Amino acid sequence: MSRLRQLWVCYRLQLKVMMFSPFEGFLAVVFPLMFATAALLVYRVNNDPEAMLFAGIGAAAMGIFTSQTTSAAMLVQRERRAGTLELVVAAPTPFAYVLLPSTFAMATLGLYSVVAVILWDWWLFDLPLQVENWPGFVLSILMATFTIALFGFLLSVTVVRYRTAWALGSALEYPGWLLCGFVVPLSLLPGWALPLSWALAPTWGVAAMRASAAGESPWFELAVCLGVGLAYAVLAAWLGVRLIDSARRNATLALT
């Protein structure tokens, strides 16, 4: 119970910080609408309703992914700049139990983008969302959010040793949109890029969203999405211990 309370407190506090942060608030509120507008303006040229719906669903998921890449990469860096990273690492609570609820808070804020983009598409482009399987669609959104949070957890752990972690997160944002098939079909990607796409949980999450919208079964995509996300969590937990131990041995944790 004490561990669950600690996770809840970290999650709630991080969510409050993000909601009242000017940068995080702008990123969460404005960016998803900008990205959705740009994507749908491109697709509207051909006047293809199916393509517009494809892009609209992908654009709704882009906001969740965007809420993780740059923010999760900067998570440890913010602690380092504030001079609290050493205290967090030295605390009895495992380092992973501090990062994990923080990335889930970021993903929770990213859920706003799904609703906002759907309403934005309907209001600006007259593109109502047509969903045949609403329970599967909602479950797919939640699964995509869950696994993207675990991807952010892995990213935040991986960059603990780097000064310019924010740059790595920003560099992953736009290639991730392509590799996950948010606005471009995976069939248009070169063959060597497909294994990279399959290794990204959001690829399967957005595929499940589209399958549910079309009235098809999303269960295979959901199962793969969950499996890949849990692999992220296991790898991040293992890396967290190894990287922190290495930083302690080499006295490189501060990296200011």
Side-chain angles (χ1 to χ4, degrees):
M1 292 300 295
S2 62
R3 183 65 68 200
L4 291 176
R5 182 178 181 277
Q6 176 264 317
L7 292 172
W8 167 248
V9 169
C10 287
Y11 169 82
R12 182 168 53 86
L13 291 177
Q14 182 65 30
L15 190 59
K16 284 184 177 180
V17 170
M18 294 180 63
M19 290 178 65
F20 291 97
S21 168
F23 173 75
E24 298 290 352
F26 178 81
L27 181 68
V29 174
V30 179
F31 273 23
L33 303 182
M34 292 171 53
F35 300 147
T37 302
L40 290 176
L41 284 175
V42 172
Y43 273 86
R44 194 172 64 172
V45 173
N46 292 329
N47 195 25
D48 187 345
E50 293 186 3
M52 290 284 286
L53 182 61
F54 176 92
I57 293 176
M62 279 196 306
I64 309 176
F65 188 78
T66 299
S67 70
Q68 285 293 327
T69 48
T70 303
S71 299
M74 291 180 62
L75 182 60
V76 175
Q77 190 67 8
R78 287 201 301 264
E79 298 287 345
R80 180 177 288 125
R81 289 175 179 173
T84 56
L85 181 58
E86 292 87 345
L87 298 176
V88 172
V89 171
T93 301
F95 190 54
Y97 283 89
V98 177
L99 295 181
L100 187 59
S102 298
T103 58
F104 269 92
M106 297 173 187
T108 301
L109 196 61
L111 276 175
Y112 147 83
S113 67
V114 177
V115 178
V117 168
I118 290 174
L119 295 177
W120 183 258
D121 294 347
W122 172 64
W123 176 71
L124 188 64
F125 294 93
D126 194 23
L127 182 66
L129 182 64
Q130 301 174 0
V131 176
E132 299 294 334
N133 181 5
W134 273 106
F137 187 76
V138 173
L139 181 60
S140 300
I141 293 175
L142 296 177
M143 183 63 71
T145 304
F146 175 74
T147 53
I148 289 174
L150 294 178
F151 175 77
F153 175 42
L154 175 61
L155 182 61
S156 63
V157 168
T158 305
V159 301
V160 70
R161 296 288 300 276
Y162 298 96
R163 295 181 179 90
T164 55
W166 62 270
L168 177 61
S170 299
L172 291 175
E173 182 177 359
Y174 300 121
W177 292 357
L178 297 176
L179 291 174
C180 294
F182 289 142
V183 292
V184 176
L186 297 181
S187 58
L188 298 180
L189 299 180
W192 59 264
L194 290 179
L196 297 176
S197 299
W198 298 333
L200 295 173
T203 302
W204 303 97
V206 74
M209 292 170 60
R210 290 185 173 120
S212 300
E216 303 172 358
S217 174
W219 297 111
F220 173 76
E221 289 82 1
L222 288 174
V224 177
C225 184
L226 178 60
V228 175
L230 293 178
Y232 291 162
V234 173
L235 180 59
W238 180 80
L239 279 176
V241 175
R242 297 299 183 274
L243 291 175
I244 292 299
D245 288 346
S246 175
R248 284 170 169 167
R249 286 194 304 268
N250 296 284
T252 56
L253 185 61
L255 286 179
T256 53

